[in-house]
Amino acid sequence: MILLNPGPANTTETVKQAQVVPDICPREREFGELMAGVSRRLAAVVGDPDVYTAVLFGGSGTAAVEAALASTVPADGRLLVVDNGAYGARMQQIAAAYGMRHEVVRSEWGDLPDLDAIATALAGGGFTQLCVVHHETTTGMLNPVAAIGALCQQHGVTMIVDAMSSYAGLPCDMQALGADYLISSSNKCVQGMAGLGFVIGRMDAIEALPDIAGRSLYLDLKAQHRFFVKQGQMRFTPPVQVCYALAQALSELEAEGKEARYHRYLSCWEALDGGVRELGFTRLLDDETQLSKILTAYVEPDNPAYSYDALHDALHAKGFTIYPGKGAKEATFRLANMGAITPQDMRRFVTAMGQTIDELRLRPLYAEK
Ligand SMILES: *Cc1c(COP(=O)(O)O)cnc(C)c1O
């Protein structure tokens, strides 16, 4: 099955096999060494691993987003949430769930964040943290995080970046983005198995975080970091086999090279997007400079014979998983090109898509405009 959903992404056979290990207690030194290596190598993808560390949590990516927000926004702090998609909105939901003082700068899902509104809000003072999504997976938009980071630096505001679906797939450098904290998970562009989320930040900054006792026991970045440094163990039981798979996925990322992975994803996107648009589909975002090129949202056909489920099921039967839209300003379906896939897989997909739209009698896809 070729997965065009935005994670969990396709993994290699060697990553799958890496999960098959003898039973081990994760409190043994050997496992601690594995995790120390994983943490350092995750940090090295986006910064100097002598300065930055990756703090891991058992859980999906959202657990790590929740840990980052719950741990960094102090009780008397105030968070500015940039929302131009479902994942920005999720950060607002987290802030609300913890009763954090926060405000939202919202744009339509499919529009760029409003930099003027962000600048005005930050200039007004009183914000201590800002959170933003790097690649907004709702729409496939690459947000101008470096520009927002520069505004944050100007106003002494900590920037927290959800880089879930860009980390290891797009150039992502903590310093270049101006990110204080960057969040991702094991099952997207790093090409491991689902079950781990992580927050990358400066070790000294994590050490200096406020105590959040009373807010969250589990999702405590500082406590998680300190316990691991002191004990050489995860604070709570990690998904052991997923950790071995992640170590293998990192070896494969290092062997492929970050740049080469980025270029492979780009080649996949060119084959996918070029082919799909040749079939007649139009993108939600027409400005190519806004595209992540890791996921693309296409406008759903308005042909009365179209239904997402029929399209999904026909493609699924041919060995491809596509993904529905998620509240963007126009109805869309989404195709991701992350994971252990090749341009050839994408060309096979385009052929299958062409057959499917004929089978379902979807031509013309859109009414004449
Ligand atoms: C996938 C994703 C998440 C996390 O989703 P989980 O289902 O919790 O792993 C968060 N933010 C973005 C931008 C994502 O793409």
Side-chain angles (χ1 to χ4, degrees):
M1 185 64 67
I2 297 293
L3 302 179
L4 293 100
N5 52 295
N10 280 110
T11 55
T12 61
E13 209 45 46
T14 35
V15 164
K16 290 189 241 310
Q17 288 303 329
Q19 296 177 98
V20 185
V21 287
D23 291 333
I24 180 172
C25 169
R27 301 209 178 275
E28 288 299 318
R29 188 187 306 147
E30 183 189 339
F31 190 81
E33 284 164 4
L34 174 92
M35 292 312 285
V38 164
S39 161
R40 187 179 167 85
R41 293 157 80 196
L42 287 171
V45 173
V46 292
D48 177 353
D50 289 328
V51 176
Y52 292 91
T53 189
V55 182
L56 289 119
F57 293 89
S60 82
T62 303
V65 177
E66 199 165 320
L69 295 181
S71 304
T72 58
V73 183
D76 59 355
R78 195 150 153 257
L79 175 69
L80 187 63
V81 181
V82 179
D83 165 4
N84 67 333
Y87 295 100
R90 186 176 294 175
M91 295 199 285
Q92 188 276 328
Q93 290 177 316
I94 293 170
Y98 284 89
M100 291 173 191
R101 296 200 302 155
H102 68 280
E103 265 168 52
V104 182
V105 174
R106 190 178 189 280
S107 321
E108 277 219 272
W109 296 3
D111 290 347
L112 284 168
D114 185 342
L115 287 179
D116 290 339
I118 294 169
T120 305
L122 292 179
F127 289 102
T128 48
Q129 274 78 22
L130 173 146
C131 60
V132 61
V133 176
H134 187 208
H135 168 210
E136 182 44 89
T137 323
T138 309
T139 55
M141 180 176 276
L142 189 63
N143 280 334
V145 168
I148 296 170
L151 290 171
C152 286
Q153 261 159 14
Q154 199 181 321
H155 295 287
V157 168
T158 301
M159 183 166 76
I160 301 150
V161 179
D162 171 350
M164 208 68 67
S165 57
S166 52
Y167 173 92
L170 288 179
C172 236
D173 179 87
M174 301 276 300
Q175 283 201 337
L177 293 176
D180 296 286
Y181 296 95
L182 189 130
I183 306 149
S184 190
S185 72
S186 52
N187 60 267
K188 291 196 176 176
C189 305
V190 74
Q191 298 181 186
M193 294 294 160
L196 285 164
F198 50 89
V199 183
I200 300 173
R202 291 181 63 100
M203 285 179 241
D204 55 2
I206 294 171
E207 279 292 342
L209 284 172
D211 278 324
I212 61 155
R215 191 181 256 176
S216 176
L217 176 76
Y218 193 90
L219 299 173
D220 182 334
L221 201 55
K222 183 170 70 175
Q224 187 84 345
H225 170 68
R226 282 198 172 158
F227 189 92
F228 187 75
V229 168
K230 193 152 169 258
Q231 312 282 342
Q233 299 174 8
M234 298 283 283
R235 199 160 149 241
F236 304 107
T237 306
V240 173
Q241 290 72 17
V242 171
C243 297
Y244 282 99
L246 182 55
Q248 175 64 24
L250 283 166
S251 298
E252 294 179 14
L253 173 63
E254 289 153 6
E256 181 175 14
K258 283 188 287 189
E259 276 295 305
R261 174 158 303 178
Y262 170 53
H263 284 107
R264 174 167 59 82
Y265 282 13
L266 270 184
S267 307
C268 285
W269 179 79
E270 280 161 10
L272 176 67
D273 180 70
V276 164
R277 285 192 307 128
E278 204 160 298
L279 292 172
F281 288 98
T282 59
R283 297 181 197 132
L284 171 70
L285 308 178
D286 37 40
D287 182 346
E288 189 165 333
T289 64
Q290 298 177 355
L291 302 177
S292 67
K293 304 186 176 176
I294 286 191
L295 173 138
T296 314
Y298 296 93
V299 177
E300 289 197 293
D302 55 8
N303 183 317
Y306 171 82
S307 85
Y308 171 78
D309 289 342
L311 184 67
H312 168 276
D313 294 355
L315 287 164
H316 197 264
K318 295 179 173 68
F320 299 95
T321 302
I322 65 167
Y323 212 58
K326 195 170 181 152
K329 62 181 183 182
E330 288 186 74
T332 62
F333 66 90
R334 293 178 290 169
L335 302 176
N337 49 279
M338 62 174 70
I341 51 169
T342 63
Q344 198 180 331
D345 295 322
M346 300 297 97
R347 286 189 283 273
R348 283 178 37 234
F349 170 76
V350 170
T351 304
M353 181 65 120
Q355 288 166 355
T356 302
I357 58 182
D358 287 336
E359 282 162 22
L360 299 178
R361 303 185 182 284
L362 292 180
R363 289 181 194 280
L365 294 170
Y366 307 101
E368 293 287 330
K369 282 187 186 138

